[in-house]
Amino acid sequence: MALSLDQRLARLRVRLEELRYWRVREGINVEGWSLDGAAAPLGSAWPNRTGVHSFAATAEVPSHWPLDEAVLHLDLGGEGLVTLSYPNRKSVSFGLDPYHREFPLQHRQVAIAADCTARDPFGVPVHAPRLNRAVLQWIDWPVHRLHLLFRQIAEACATLGGHPAVPFMLEAAERAQASLDWPSDTANYLARVSPSPQQQSIWELPAIGAAAPLDEDQQASVVATYDALLGDLTELQQRFPQEGELLLTGHAHIDLAWLWPYDETRRKMRRTFHTALALMESSEDFRFNQSTAHYYAQIAEDDPPLFKAIKSRIASGQWEAIGGMWVEPDTNMPTGESLARQILYGQRYFESEFGRRHTVCWLPDCFGFSGALPQLLRQGGIDSFFTIKVNWSETNKMPADLFWWEGLDGSRVLAHTFDNPMAGYNGFVQPDCFVPTWRNFRGKVHHDTSLLAVGYGDGGGGVTSEMVEREAQLRHFPAIPRARWGSVAAFFERAHEQAREINLPVWSGEIYLELHRATLTTQSGVKRKHRQAERALITAETAASLAHMLGALPPRSMEDQWRAVLKNEFHDILPGSSIREVYEDAERELDGAIAAGKAAQDVALNAIAAQLPRGGADGVLVVNPSLSVRRVGASETTISPLGITVVARGLPPQTGLKANGSVLENAVLKAVIGKDGTLASLMHKPTGREALAGPGNQLWVYPLDKPRSWDAWDVEADYTDRGEQLIALKSIELVENTPARAAIRVVRSWRHSRITQTYVLGANAPRLDIETEIDWHDRRVFLRTLTPVNARSRTATFECANGVVQRPTHANTSWDQAMFEAVAHRFVDLSEPGFGVALLNNAKYGHNVRGNVLGMSLLRSPIYPDPLADEGPQSFTYSLYPHAGDWHDGGVREEAEDLNQPLLTREVSDLALGAWAPISVDGIRAALSGLKAAEDGRGLIFRIYEPAGARDDFSIQADGWTSEPVTIMEEPQTREGATAELMPFEVRSWRLTRG
């Protein structure tokens, strides 16, 4: 009776499993273990499951076993680092996890040491950890290889489906199985197969004795069968050539922190990297890549011999350091200056330690990509970009997977993503991974090869020895894609060559991920501290540079402080998707960076004061660390961009501020607070326009914030199906009424939480601040502010790194509908010709604008992976800013800058009143990115960007200083095709030196 192909495949799978139970010829338990210094027989429970526990034992391989066929199999109850030491004083280390439990031996006597944690690779606790298994095994390698080959044939036949090669492959496998001389004696057979699931399901097994290995004739049959089957596959390959090509890169995505704290990541790095090096010892073909300069710097500190071995493999080409950035950061929320420092400090580190910079940006797992990135990458010497995450979008599919990605300014990098349905960037070396990945590669019409990253990841681990074996076998297979270990950089070099000959698709602007939108809001505390840390360091560098330009000592690089900030921009820290312990560490480190920045600002102010002329007056030193004209206090006095001034103490506030229990009014604004605590009216006096089209600053809670999965990451579009506006008040009162400032405080409660908001208007302020303090004690709730404004436009303006992005206010298409929550930095704005309203903030990122309603997300309170996310107190400020003209003409960015970075002030004595400008600019309005010490110690670096998409002349004036255009790498810059000194959204830097 003829069987169908599916039936034959099922039969093949059943029969191949028989071989599994003859793989181990003999095995002996390793006894005499110690656990944390105390005796621990096999099966012993750990004393506790916290911290790191140390295991030790010795073992000896029986004399009749061939040493090269002996392995050590371990299951110590958790994830760890195993070190095998030999009498010749050589030692070798390996990572131990559920995918890496079998280790080769180099001597018959071996001392075993392991440091383990009671966690699995994804941080899940092992609740009852035990010393489960420790066995020396004599492996029948021919049986192992044949079993693996049969498995790969079954996988290939299943994934190739109706391909004409499948019947021939099945026939070859069936012929091979029929040719095997296999044992059948009852006692031995039952002893071998008794561990199988089938046998273990029997009510009561018969008494079973010891199992014997294959005899010489049977083993010879296995060898002959393997050789014949491999030969049959090779012949079939001539008839059915391999279709397509995949470049394999060994990979172990290690999240810097996620479901485990950073200290565990340090251990994961050592485990994973030792495993990769061990595979390189056994295979010259194997290639492995690892990004993240920070990891290498940490390994150099934690394990210098390991770092030295990695450097050697990098020099030989087997290990590919990649990425060019300090970490794999979130790119939605950091400022452009932070992204520039990721590249600057990453590339400098790679060049210093390994002798080369990198050309590929490796960001497989980030949650969307800022349109500012291509320009910064190009200035950093990086012309290629890789990610996987765009394939996670749930509504719309990116139209290409090999394409030019064009940034805000028009800069392009060559981008590639592969669509592997089997674990994405944590791929496997097997036919049913290769075939769909190649099928999904739409760029095959332009290029003959796609990348495929393979190896266990997220929690590290990486490639297994079986994956290396599989690659060698699959070279002989018909019909499946050709796959070889190779270099990611070489892949992109070939792709660039091809791209010069053809027109690849172009994706312009940000790459928005239609998933994980809640990462713009979750864990508000780390987001606020991150922004404060960015500002503290940028401002400290700027002030110290201004002091130097006045004559003070040169400033020092703040790279060490920046490294702490850059580390915590990692794509599972800043987005809020990690466990509580991660945020305890992150907020402590960011607090340290803030404190260092503030201390450096104080030193700089002292240095500035020391350079100013004496005059006997008691005054206030004011420093403007921005390129905007700023108001000084509540007075009518202003300070020029990057200006320094000494003013008299007690400057009188601008006149005209009035307040009562419901109204705040000055020369620019009149705000009326309603009885329900919302903003009933906001009149913009210069234009005579009412800014609101309904109650402003409505607070809404959404208790339906319960996503299908990815609790901290996602917010579902249906969260609005149940929303409650907070109307009831505990109190509303006028709490401040001085000539300089007036304020009305509104206190609300919702269930177990309390929200205190203070509407504040300064005497000279063109914006209404809403100072907010929240004490939150409710779970799985989303809190937002909504303000309908009296303006209409089909697009709204959202600030992003180094510029702005225009997004639709409607939901016409599926792309528009999917973008129901999007990132903005310091402001969103809705303008029509002549008038607009902006919503500013100093701590938030999640926004939307639908119709005429400005929305901003204030907090979320998911329960996974941190059950206490956003629990307790937090404070921040947001503002409503009506203005004439559009957002740019109306000075929205400048006002947002004022909210986020106050002027630096210091009371001084015996200084002359006056103003000084060590550096000034002229021409098109630009925004300051940074003013800092050059990393090589030669002068200062002055970096600006064009924020609005305009072009015009731009010049720098600094008496006694010369300027030279440089890249973000602080090297001479060549600008091709520029028609103005500053082009739309361009980032420009100059080296300033005394001359």
Side-chain angles (χ1 to χ4, degrees):
M1 180 180 71
L3 299 180
S4 69
L5 290 179
D6 287 344
Q7 290 169 329
R8 291 169 65 189
L9 179 57
R11 182 174 65 189
L12 171 64
R13 284 176 170 149
V14 169
R15 291 178 177 176
L16 71 86
E17 283 305 295
E18 179 182 50
L19 276 67
R20 178 191 302 274
Y21 302 102
W22 271 264
R23 179 179 181 269
V24 179
R25 293 176 63 85
E26 296 179 18
I28 56 172
N29 286 337
V30 177
E31 305 285 358
W33 284 91
S34 68
L35 170 52
D36 295 336
L42 288 175
S44 296
W46 293 19
N48 56 66
R49 59 182 182 85
T50 61
V52 180
H53 295 267
S54 297
F55 297 78
T58 59
E60 183 170 355
V61 177
S63 59
H64 67 286
W65 292 12
L67 184 61
D68 61 355
E69 297 180 8
V71 301
L72 172 66
H73 185 99
L74 294 177
D75 178 0
L76 303 181
E79 188 179 10
L81 180 68
V82 175
T83 299
L84 306 181
S85 300
Y86 301 108
N88 60 7
R89 298 191 178 182
K90 181 177 181 181
S91 63
V92 183
S93 296
F94 305 88
L96 171 67
D97 60 46
Y99 320 113
H100 299 85
R101 284 185 171 160
E102 195 171 271
F103 311 109
L105 299 169
Q106 298 183 5
H107 197 282
R108 291 193 182 276
Q109 286 81 42
V110 58
I112 309 162
D115 291 327
C116 298
T117 55
R119 299 290 191 277
D120 80 359
F122 282 81
V124 176
V126 179
H127 290 288
R130 292 182 175 276
L131 201 169
N132 293 318
R133 195 158 189 250
V135 186
L136 289 175
Q137 295 180 333
W138 178 7
I139 302 299
D140 194 327
W141 289 111
V143 171
H144 166 84
R145 285 191 292 269
L146 183 58
H147 177 250
L148 180 60
L149 187 58
F150 278 136
R151 284 169 58 199
Q152 298 219 86
I153 291 171
E155 291 161 358
C157 290
T159 195
L160 287 171
H163 194 285
V166 169
F168 295 94
M169 293 174 70
L170 279 173
E171 183 180 348
E174 291 164 345
R175 189 164 57 246
Q177 287 186 331
S179 71
L180 278 174
D181 180 13
W182 207 249
S184 62
D185 56 294
T186 298
N188 183 42
Y189 198 95
L190 291 180
R192 282 284 169 183
V193 301
S194 63
S196 69
Q198 179 196 62
Q199 293 294 296
Q200 289 294 309
S201 70
I202 293 174
W203 179 276
E204 191 69 43
L205 284 174
I208 297 171
L214 299 182
D215 61 30
E216 289 186 7
D217 290 341
Q218 291 164 340
Q219 195 171 44
S221 168
V222 171
V223 172
T225 298
Y226 180 84
D227 291 342
L229 181 54
L230 206 62
D232 288 344
L233 292 172
T234 304
E235 286 185 14
L236 283 174
Q237 193 182 91
Q238 303 302 312
R239 182 173 178 182
F240 303 104
Q242 293 187 328
E243 299 176 5
E245 183 170 28
L246 300 173
L247 186 143
L248 302 180
T249 178
H251 182 49
H253 186 65
I254 305 175
D255 284 315
L256 189 143
W258 180 29
L259 304 177
W260 50 87
Y262 178 66
D263 282 349
E264 184 67 13
T265 305
R266 293 169 66 172
R267 293 186 282 269
K268 286 178 179 289
M269 285 189 277
R270 294 184 66 205
R271 299 165 192 155
T272 301
F273 296 171
H274 275 294
T275 295
L277 290 173
L279 290 174
M280 291 174 187
E281 290 288 340
S282 62
S283 171
E284 294 182 357
D285 294 327
F286 173 60
R287 296 292 184 270
F288 179 81
N289 91 66
Q290 178 61 56
S291 74
T292 304
H294 175 82
Y295 287 173
Y296 294 102
Q298 188 70 72
I299 287 294
E301 180 181 322
D302 291 351
D303 194 337
L306 173 59
F307 184 66
K308 182 178 178 181
I310 290 171
K311 290 184 76 169
S312 176
R313 290 295 182 177
I314 288 174
S316 72
Q318 269 196 285
W319 185 300
E320 187 177 13
I322 200 169
M325 303 178 88
W326 189 249
V327 301
E328 293 180 13
D330 174 82
T331 74
N332 284 319
M333 290 175 278
T335 62
E337 188 62 20
S338 279
L339 295 175
R341 301 300 177 96
Q342 287 281 357
I343 298 165
L344 171 65
Y345 295 136
Q347 288 283 51
R348 282 175 59 85
Y349 181 87
F350 283 122
E351 184 172 40
S352 171
E353 293 295 335
F354 307 133
R356 69 186 70 173
R357 298 179 186 174
H358 300 304
T359 59
V360 180
C361 178
W362 182 268
L363 298 178
D365 193 30
C366 300
F367 310 150
F369 303 96
S370 168
L373 202 54
Q375 177 181 195
L376 298 175
L377 293 176
R378 291 304 298 260
Q379 287 200 31
I382 297 172
D383 60 9
S384 304
F385 173 77
F386 171 78
T387 187
I388 272 289
K389 211 66 172 191
V390 295
N391 296 319
W392 286 41
S393 284
E394 290 191 321
T395 306
N396 301 284
K397 193 175 184 67
M398 284 285 288
D401 48 18
L402 181 66
F403 58 96
W404 290 110
W405 180 23
E406 182 177 271
L408 292 175
D409 73 314
S411 297
R412 290 182 177 183
V413 291
L414 186 60
H416 177 51
T417 179
F418 59 78
D419 185 0
N420 166 27
M422 295 185 69
Y425 50 76
N426 300 319
F428 300 102
V429 181
Q430 54 192 66
D432 45 356
C433 182
F434 290 0
V435 171
T437 300
W438 176 254
R439 283 176 179 162
N440 291 339
F441 178 41
R442 286 164 288 161
K444 62 172 69 77
V445 298
H446 303 297
H447 191 58
D448 60 2
T449 308
S450 178
L451 275 175
L452 178 60
V454 296
Y456 290 97
D458 291 332
V463 177
T464 65
S465 58
E466 182 181 291
M467 292 178 183
V468 176
E469 292 179 78
R470 280 173 168 271
E471 184 275 330
Q473 286 186 351
L474 291 173
R475 297 182 185 189
H476 300 272
F477 272 52
I480 66 171
R482 180 182 186 274
R484 299 290 185 273
W485 301 110
S487 156
V488 174
F491 165 84
F492 275 104
E493 286 173 9
R494 285 196 60 237
H496 274 280
E497 291 174 5
Q498 189 72 19
R500 286 192 285 269
E501 305 296 327
I502 58 176
N503 291 322
L504 287 178
V506 176
W507 181 269
S508 181
E510 67 177 332
I511 298 176
Y512 175 82
L513 180 66
E514 296 175 352
L515 194 71
H516 292 1
R517 302 167 182 89
T519 58
L520 302 174
T521 304
T522 304
Q523 296 285 4
S524 298
V526 78
K527 290 173 168 61
R528 174 161 172 73
K529 288 183 186 293
H530 169 260
R531 188 179 297 187
Q532 290 174 329
E534 286 181 309
R535 295 260 56 91
L537 296 184
I538 293 170
T539 300
E541 291 172 330
T542 301
S545 298
L546 292 174
H548 178 48
M549 297 186 81
L550 288 173
L553 292 173
R556 295 181 178 180
S557 169
M558 298 192 75
E559 179 177 356
D560 286 348
Q561 291 77 21
W562 269 106
R563 285 185 178 188
V565 176
L566 302 181
K567 173 192 172 187
N568 287 292
E569 290 173 351
F570 180 75
H571 62 259
D572 272 311
I573 299 179
L574 184 56
S577 47
S578 290
I579 59 173
R580 173 175 49 86
E581 291 84 350
V582 169
Y583 294 103
E584 292 171 350
D585 290 346
E587 293 196 26
R588 183 181 65 255
E589 291 175 0
L590 292 171
D591 278 337
I594 294 166
K598 296 288 188 182
Q601 291 174 26
D602 288 341
V603 170
L605 287 176
N606 289 337
I608 289 172
Q611 302 303 314
L612 298 181
R614 302 297 163 187
D618 290 339
V620 178
L621 170 65
V622 184
V623 177
N624 181 358
S626 72
L627 273 182
S628 310
V629 175
R630 301 278 289 277
R631 302 181 298 276
V632 178
S635 72
E636 298 183 12
T637 303
T638 60
I639 182 171
S640 62
L642 295 176
I644 298 165
T645 187
V646 178
V647 298
R649 295 184 189 177
L651 285 178
Q654 187 167 324
T655 60
L657 180 62
K658 298 181 292 185
N660 58 41
S662 61
V663 176
L664 302 173
E665 184 175 4
N666 65 12
V668 182
L669 297 177
K670 180 179 180 181
V672 179
I673 314 303
K675 293 182 179 180
D676 62 357
T678 62
L679 190 58
S681 172
L682 184 61
M683 180 64 67
H684 184 243
K685 294 182 177 181
T687 61
R689 288 280 295 266
E690 168 60 57
L692 305 180
N697 189 37
Q698 302 171 29
L699 293 182
W700 286 77
V701 289
Y702 301 94
L704 197 60
D705 184 20
K706 299 173 182 179
R708 288 163 287 156
S709 56
W710 303 108
D711 197 25
W713 293 256
D714 285 353
V715 56
E716 302 276 354
D718 76 341
Y719 78 89
T720 58
D721 288 357
R722 181 183 171 192
E724 302 175 23
Q725 185 180 354
L726 301 188
I727 302 295
L729 300 180
K730 293 183 74 69
S731 64
I732 181 169
E733 61 180 324
L734 180 68
V735 294
E736 192 171 353
N737 189 9
T738 71
R741 177 180 144 115
I744 295 174
R745 180 167 298 152
V746 176
V747 180
R748 307 178 188 275
S749 63
W750 184 79
R751 295 186 182 177
H752 308 91
S753 302
R754 182 182 179 95
I755 304 165
T756 302
Q757 293 197 304
T758 306
Y759 293 96
V760 177
L761 189 63
N764 63 353
R767 68 175 192 256
L768 179 68
D769 291 342
I770 305 170
E771 297 176 353
T772 303
E773 295 180 1
I774 298 176
D775 190 14
W776 195 258
H777 300 284
D778 290 280
R779 294 293 91 199
R780 307 198 82 181
V781 178
F782 199 13
L783 176 66
R784 308 191 79 240
T785 176
L786 301 178
T787 297
V789 299
N790 191 22
R792 176 178 174 81
S793 175
R794 289 177 55 80
T795 60
T797 302
F798 294 64
E799 188 187 33
C800 65
N802 294 337
V804 295
V805 59
Q806 304 290 331
R807 297 194 180 106
T809 59
H810 54 77
N812 285 357
T813 71
S814 60
W815 295 86
D816 305 329
Q817 294 159 17
M819 198 178 286
F820 60 84
E821 182 86 350
V823 66
H825 283 198
R826 296 172 298 184
F827 68 84
V828 294
D829 180 86
L830 187 65
S831 293
E832 60 190 30
F835 182 76
V837 183
L839 175 61
L840 321 178
N841 77 87
N842 71 355
K844 299 300 173 184
Y845 294 93
H847 295 76
N848 69 358
V849 182
R850 281 292 186 248
N852 67 333
V853 179
L854 305 181
M856 185 168 69
S857 301
L858 304 182
L859 66 75
R860 295 183 70 243
S861 50
I863 60 172
Y864 180 83
D866 177 5
L868 297 177
D870 274 356
E871 181 78 2
Q874 59 175 286
S875 61
F876 50 88
T877 299
Y878 55 95
S879 311
L880 287 168
Y881 175 54
H883 55 84
D886 66 11
W887 74 271
H888 189 49
D889 293 338
V892 170
R893 178 188 57 78
E894 291 86 344
E895 200 61 37
E897 199 163 54
D898 188 74
L899 173 64
N900 278 266
Q901 178 55 65
L903 296 173
L904 302 182
T905 60
R906 167 73 53 81
E907 288 194 351
V908 292
S909 299
D910 194 30
L911 288 184
L913 303 182
W916 296 266
I919 181 172
S920 61
V921 299
D922 194 21
I924 189 173
R925 283 161 58 196
L928 179 70
S929 186
L931 177 59
K932 60 181 284 291
E935 298 299 328
D936 62 6
R938 296 190 299 114
L940 304 173
I941 301 298
F942 177 50
R943 182 158 35 253
I944 56 95
Y945 63 93
E946 195 291 310
R951 73 181 75 195
D952 210 331
D953 294 335
F954 183 85
S955 61
I956 306 168
Q957 295 85 40
D959 290 344
W961 293 76
T962 61
S963 62
E964 173 197 14
V966 294
T967 66
I968 64 168
M969 294 303 299
E970 304 180 5
E971 296 168 342
Q973 182 186 43
T974 300
R975 298 166 71 235
E976 297 179 1
T979 59
E981 280 301 305
L982 194 57
M983 298 290 289
F985 298 118
E986 184 180 17
V987 176
R988 291 207 65 188
S989 308
W990 290 266
R991 183 189 294 272
L992 306 179
T993 52
R994 289 193 186 275

